[in-house]
Amino acid sequence: MLEGAVLVGIVVAVLLALGAGYRVMRGPTTPDRVVALDTIGTNVVAIAVLYAISQDRGLFVDVALVLTIIGFISTIAVARYVTEGDIIE
C-alpha cells in the first residue's frame, strides 16, 4: 500500500511541476515566474523524498535537504533583486 501511495505522490508532484513550468513560460510578471520556479523546486524536493522512501535510500533525503537550501537562498536573492534592484548592498 505504501508503494502505491508513493507512486501516486510522485505522479502528482510531476504533474504540478509541469503546471508550474507552464507558469514560468507564460507568467505575466516576474514575481509570478519566481513563485513558479520556487514551486518547481519544492516539487523536485518532494519527488526526491518520495523516491528515497520507495527505494529505502537515505542519500536522497540528503539531496533533498541540499536542494531545499539552494532553493531558499535563490528565492531570497531573486526577491531582493526584484524589490531593490541589487542583491548585495
Side-chain angles (χ1 to χ4, degrees):
M1 178 152 163
L2 179 64
E3 293 174 6
V6 168
L7 181 63
V8 168
I10 290 174
V11 169
V12 168
V14 167
L15 291 175
L16 290 173
L18 290 174
Y22 174 77
R23 181 53 54 197
V24 169
M25 299 286 226
R26 303 283 300 182
T29 63
T30 302
D32 289 332
R33 290 185 169 118
V34 171
V35 170
L37 283 172
D38 193 39
T39 302
I40 290 171
T42 303
N43 286 328
V44 168
V45 169
I47 291 168
V49 169
L50 289 170
Y51 186 75
I53 291 170
S54 71
Q55 299 296 316
D56 278 339
R57 305 263 328 235
L59 175 67
F60 292 107
V61 175
D62 295 337
V63 170
L65 288 172
V66 170
L67 286 173
T68 303
I69 293 168
I70 291 171
F72 176 73
I73 292 171
S74 64
T75 301
I76 296 297
V78 170
R80 284 192 58 144
Y81 179 74
V82 168
T83 58
E84 298 176 12
D86 192 13
I87 296 172
I88 300 172
E89 296 181 61

